[in-house]
Amino acid sequence: MTKLFRSFALLASLSVFPVAANPVYVDYYGVVSESSETNILKMAQDIFLTQLKSIANISVDDKRPIPSETLHTAPDITQTSIPHVAFYALIAEAEEATGAKLWRCTFTLLHPESQQQESKTETYDSYYKILTNAKTAIEAVLEQATAASSAAPAILPARQEPDFTRTRSSVDASSLAGTWQGEESIDKIILLRGGKGFVIFKNGASMNVSVLITRADSAGNVSDIEVRQESKANASFFPQLPRETALLVAASAPPIVWSLHVNSDSALSGTKKTLVPDATVATGASEGVERISWTKK
């Protein structure tokens, strides 16, 4: 049973997307947008790919021309052929009468042979909600496609939740998803249900992370987690270092790792393994450990 708690990725099984008899093959083309918010768009298209891959019976091929960039026009889907379908998201900025910014996302699925299209548009009042709530819209589009591809689609049961999700524990894996804060150089940490997340630094940098449950009991009570850097190293991830030092050591830096104990569903504490100033070495920095604590917003 212990292995059931090794990763937040197991929580993808909470999805209500119906199980298809055969896999649905999806070619993912990323995000199309004219917005100048490139960091947000890049995070969004990476999260959409992760969310697609977490859905049962969905086989995903990444067809983005340049994975580190978003598109400005509709993608060329000529690489997609039967039995694959093409999927991409269109993101546009909008504005309420009050002046507040909105994000309008249209998730589109195309059948290349018939040019039949399924889409769903949702409006979010923050980029955080795009990242945390979009999976529902993505699943809805895929469900439409699955139904459309079958002359008499069967009504299939939703996947069963693993036993540990039925516990009454106040600190189970799902309760840890959300927005956290606590470090001086970090604006927020967002943990998602699919074993992924991202860290947004106050200097504007963003880091993709993985989330692993390292200790839990047989009832699903989580006591320890590990949050690990997945993004390519960036000097901006080390604001505690002089800029010149960070630029020098970032390329060879090991991943930043947070080892955290779960004090409650709104409090985590532990250590952060990262580079720290060290005048005794030529580079000016070496790997060290900092004591940190996070609280849930």
Side-chain angles (χ1 to χ4, degrees), residues 8 16 37 52 57-58 66 74 80 87 90 95 102 138 150 154 176 178 194 227 253 257 292:
F8 272 90
V16 296
E37 300 282 1
L52 280 167
N57 289 303
I58 301 296
I66 305 176
T80 296
F87 182 92
L90 176 65
E95 199 172 272
L102 299 174
I138 292 172
S150 173
L176 296 176
V227 179
V257 178
I292 58 98

mmCIF file of all heavy atoms in Angstrom, residues 8 16 37 52 57-58 66 74 80 87 90 95 102 138 150 154 176 178 194 227 253 257 292:
data_model
loop_
_atom_site.group_PDB
_atom_site.id
_atom_site.type_symbol
_atom_site.label_atom_id
_atom_site.label_comp_id
_atom_site.label_asym_id
_atom_site.label_seq_id
_atom_site.Cartn_x
_atom_site.Cartn_y
_atom_site.Cartn_z
ATOM 1 N N PHE A 8 1.992 12.480 -6.101
ATOM 2 C CA PHE A 8 0.720 13.160 -6.331
ATOM 3 C C PHE A 8 0.115 12.739 -7.661
ATOM 4 O O PHE A 8 -1.063 12.948 -7.906
ATOM 5 C CB PHE A 8 0.939 14.688 -6.395
ATOM 6 C CG PHE A 8 0.872 15.371 -5.067
ATOM 7 C CD1 PHE A 8 2.017 15.525 -4.306
ATOM 8 C CD2 PHE A 8 -0.310 15.869 -4.586
ATOM 9 C CE1 PHE A 8 1.975 16.163 -3.096
ATOM 10 C CE2 PHE A 8 -0.355 16.513 -3.386
ATOM 11 C CZ PHE A 8 0.781 16.662 -2.632
ATOM 12 N N VAL A 16 -13.024 12.701 -13.575
ATOM 13 C CA VAL A 16 -14.313 12.126 -13.919
ATOM 14 C C VAL A 16 -14.387 11.801 -15.402
ATOM 15 O O VAL A 16 -15.415 11.384 -15.899
ATOM 16 C CB VAL A 16 -15.460 13.106 -13.562
ATOM 17 C CG1 VAL A 16 -15.508 13.328 -12.068
ATOM 18 C CG2 VAL A 16 -15.299 14.435 -14.300
ATOM 19 N N GLU A 37 2.368 38.243 -22.050
ATOM 20 C CA GLU A 37 2.699 37.572 -20.782
ATOM 21 C C GLU A 37 3.336 36.217 -21.076
ATOM 22 O O GLU A 37 2.759 35.155 -20.835
ATOM 23 C CB GLU A 37 1.439 37.403 -19.926
ATOM 24 C CG GLU A 37 0.757 38.710 -19.555
ATOM 25 C CD GLU A 37 1.483 39.427 -18.415
ATOM 26 O OE1 GLU A 37 2.519 38.906 -17.944
ATOM 27 O OE2 GLU A 37 1.027 40.487 -17.998
ATOM 28 N N LEU A 52 -3.004 16.689 -19.816
ATOM 29 C CA LEU A 52 -3.402 15.723 -20.842
ATOM 30 C C LEU A 52 -2.815 14.345 -20.551
ATOM 31 O O LEU A 52 -3.503 13.325 -20.634
ATOM 32 C CB LEU A 52 -2.930 16.202 -22.216
ATOM 33 C CG LEU A 52 -3.764 17.258 -22.927
ATOM 34 C CD1 LEU A 52 -2.988 17.839 -24.099
ATOM 35 C CD2 LEU A 52 -5.086 16.673 -23.416
ATOM 36 N N ASN A 57 -6.225 6.617 -20.535
ATOM 37 C CA ASN A 57 -6.485 6.223 -21.915
ATOM 38 C C ASN A 57 -6.252 7.335 -22.928
ATOM 39 O O ASN A 57 -6.797 7.305 -24.029
ATOM 40 C CB ASN A 57 -7.911 5.666 -22.070
ATOM 41 C CG ASN A 57 -8.048 4.308 -21.422
ATOM 42 O OD1 ASN A 57 -7.329 3.381 -21.751
ATOM 43 N ND2 ASN A 57 -8.952 4.206 -20.469
ATOM 44 N N ILE A 58 -5.461 8.322 -22.558
ATOM 45 C CA ILE A 58 -5.057 9.359 -23.488
ATOM 46 C C ILE A 58 -3.565 9.182 -23.754
ATOM 47 O O ILE A 58 -2.750 9.202 -22.841
ATOM 48 C CB ILE A 58 -5.317 10.781 -22.924
ATOM 49 C CG1 ILE A 58 -6.810 10.961 -22.607
ATOM 50 C CG2 ILE A 58 -4.830 11.835 -23.905
ATOM 51 C CD1 ILE A 58 -7.710 10.885 -23.804
ATOM 52 N N ILE A 66 8.389 24.570 -31.195
ATOM 53 C CA ILE A 66 9.436 24.973 -30.257
ATOM 54 C C ILE A 66 8.803 24.936 -28.865
ATOM 55 O O ILE A 66 8.046 25.844 -28.506
ATOM 56 C CB ILE A 66 9.979 26.379 -30.569
ATOM 57 C CG1 ILE A 66 10.467 26.461 -32.018
ATOM 58 C CG2 ILE A 66 11.116 26.730 -29.613
ATOM 59 C CD1 ILE A 66 10.932 27.842 -32.425
ATOM 60 N N ALA A 74 -2.834 29.920 -35.548
ATOM 61 C CA ALA A 74 -3.296 28.533 -35.411
ATOM 62 C C ALA A 74 -2.232 27.571 -35.919
ATOM 63 O O ALA A 74 -1.548 27.855 -36.919
ATOM 64 C CB ALA A 74 -4.597 28.342 -36.180
ATOM 65 N N THR A 80 -0.655 15.641 -38.233
ATOM 66 C CA THR A 80 -1.610 14.779 -37.541
ATOM 67 C C THR A 80 -2.456 14.006 -38.542
ATOM 68 O O THR A 80 -3.041 14.602 -39.451
ATOM 69 C CB THR A 80 -2.518 15.617 -36.623
ATOM 70 O OG1 THR A 80 -1.722 16.217 -35.609
ATOM 71 C CG2 THR A 80 -3.598 14.758 -35.969
ATOM 72 N N PHE A 87 -4.824 18.855 -30.758
ATOM 73 C CA PHE A 87 -5.338 19.619 -29.614
ATOM 74 C C PHE A 87 -4.444 20.834 -29.377
ATOM 75 O O PHE A 87 -3.220 20.733 -29.386
ATOM 76 C CB PHE A 87 -5.359 18.744 -28.359
ATOM 77 C CG PHE A 87 -5.910 19.442 -27.136
ATOM 78 C CD1 PHE A 87 -7.256 19.355 -26.823
ATOM 79 C CD2 PHE A 87 -5.086 20.195 -26.306
ATOM 80 C CE1 PHE A 87 -7.770 20.005 -25.711
ATOM 81 C CE2 PHE A 87 -5.584 20.846 -25.201
ATOM 82 C CZ PHE A 87 -6.926 20.753 -24.896
ATOM 83 N N LEU A 90 -6.265 28.279 -27.217
ATOM 84 C CA LEU A 90 -6.167 29.682 -27.589
ATOM 85 C C LEU A 90 -6.414 30.508 -26.336
ATOM 86 O O LEU A 90 -7.455 30.368 -25.685
ATOM 87 C CB LEU A 90 -7.207 30.019 -28.662
ATOM 88 C CG LEU A 90 -7.309 31.479 -29.091
ATOM 89 C CD1 LEU A 90 -6.032 31.946 -29.768
ATOM 90 C CD2 LEU A 90 -8.505 31.690 -30.015
ATOM 91 N N GLU A 95 -10.979 42.127 -20.547
ATOM 92 C CA GLU A 95 -11.052 43.084 -19.447
ATOM 93 C C GLU A 95 -12.498 43.284 -19.029
ATOM 94 O O GLU A 95 -13.390 43.410 -19.872
ATOM 95 C CB GLU A 95 -10.447 44.422 -19.887
ATOM 96 C CG GLU A 95 -10.044 45.327 -18.739
ATOM 97 C CD GLU A 95 -9.273 46.552 -19.205
ATOM 98 O OE1 GLU A 95 -8.038 46.469 -19.311
ATOM 99 O OE2 GLU A 95 -9.929 47.585 -19.464
ATOM 100 N N LEU A 102 -9.021 39.606 -17.345
ATOM 101 C CA LEU A 102 -9.546 38.247 -17.441
ATOM 102 C C LEU A 102 -8.730 37.488 -18.486
ATOM 103 O O LEU A 102 -8.105 38.083 -19.361
ATOM 104 C CB LEU A 102 -11.016 38.256 -17.863
ATOM 105 C CG LEU A 102 -12.007 38.973 -16.945
ATOM 106 C CD1 LEU A 102 -13.384 39.015 -17.604
ATOM 107 C CD2 LEU A 102 -12.089 38.278 -15.602
ATOM 108 N N ILE A 138 -10.452 20.739 -20.393
ATOM 109 C CA ILE A 138 -9.725 19.827 -21.285
ATOM 110 C C ILE A 138 -10.426 18.475 -21.354
ATOM 111 O O ILE A 138 -10.635 17.905 -22.433
ATOM 112 C CB ILE A 138 -8.268 19.669 -20.807
ATOM 113 C CG1 ILE A 138 -7.504 20.976 -20.992
ATOM 114 C CG2 ILE A 138 -7.571 18.528 -21.558
ATOM 115 C CD1 ILE A 138 -6.118 20.979 -20.364
ATOM 116 N N SER A 150 -17.822 7.640 -31.764
ATOM 117 C CA SER A 150 -18.507 6.356 -31.602
ATOM 118 C C SER A 150 -19.971 6.502 -31.999
ATOM 119 O O SER A 150 -20.656 7.426 -31.590
ATOM 120 C CB SER A 150 -18.410 5.890 -30.145
ATOM 121 O OG SER A 150 -19.189 4.739 -29.948
ATOM 122 N N ALA A 154 -20.790 3.835 -25.330
ATOM 123 C CA ALA A 154 -21.271 3.195 -24.111
ATOM 124 C C ALA A 154 -21.168 4.148 -22.942
ATOM 125 O O ALA A 154 -20.305 5.025 -22.904
ATOM 126 C CB ALA A 154 -20.435 1.950 -23.827
ATOM 127 N N LEU A 176 -3.177 19.014 0.225
ATOM 128 C CA LEU A 176 -1.946 19.788 0.105
ATOM 129 C C LEU A 176 -1.904 20.622 -1.175
ATOM 130 O O LEU A 176 -1.058 21.510 -1.308
ATOM 131 C CB LEU A 176 -0.731 18.859 0.143
ATOM 132 C CG LEU A 176 -0.534 18.098 1.460
ATOM 133 C CD1 LEU A 176 0.643 17.151 1.337
ATOM 134 C CD2 LEU A 176 -0.332 19.048 2.626
ATOM 135 N N GLY A 178 -2.698 23.532 -3.633
ATOM 136 C CA GLY A 178 -3.085 24.918 -3.407
ATOM 137 C C GLY A 178 -1.883 25.846 -3.470
ATOM 138 O O GLY A 178 -0.812 25.481 -3.965
ATOM 139 N N GLY A 194 -1.787 16.856 -9.686
ATOM 140 C CA GLY A 194 -1.192 15.838 -10.542
ATOM 141 C C GLY A 194 0.267 15.551 -10.270
ATOM 142 O O GLY A 194 0.951 15.022 -11.128
ATOM 143 N N VAL A 227 9.636 18.335 -2.662
ATOM 144 C CA VAL A 227 9.371 19.200 -3.814
ATOM 145 C C VAL A 227 10.711 19.415 -4.511
ATOM 146 O O VAL A 227 11.668 19.881 -3.886
ATOM 147 C CB VAL A 227 8.759 20.541 -3.377
ATOM 148 C CG1 VAL A 227 8.518 21.439 -4.586
ATOM 149 C CG2 VAL A 227 7.444 20.313 -2.615
ATOM 150 N N ALA A 253 24.482 23.760 -11.454
ATOM 151 C CA ALA A 253 23.880 23.609 -10.127
ATOM 152 C C ALA A 253 22.986 22.373 -10.067
ATOM 153 O O ALA A 253 22.243 22.088 -11.014
ATOM 154 C CB ALA A 253 23.059 24.843 -9.779
ATOM 155 N N VAL A 257 15.963 21.214 -3.882
ATOM 156 C CA VAL A 257 15.065 20.208 -3.299
ATOM 157 C C VAL A 257 14.574 20.694 -1.941
ATOM 158 O O VAL A 257 15.381 21.073 -1.080
ATOM 159 C CB VAL A 257 15.766 18.846 -3.132
ATOM 160 C CG1 VAL A 257 14.821 17.838 -2.471
ATOM 161 C CG2 VAL A 257 16.258 18.321 -4.474
ATOM 162 N N ILE A 292 13.338 26.168 6.360
ATOM 163 C CA ILE A 292 12.242 26.981 5.810
ATOM 164 C C ILE A 292 10.895 26.480 6.350
ATOM 165 O O ILE A 292 10.789 25.356 6.865
ATOM 166 C CB ILE A 292 12.233 26.979 4.267
ATOM 167 C CG1 ILE A 292 12.115 25.528 3.708
ATOM 168 C CG2 ILE A 292 13.486 27.619 3.715
ATOM 169 C CD1 ILE A 292 10.735 25.150 3.332
#
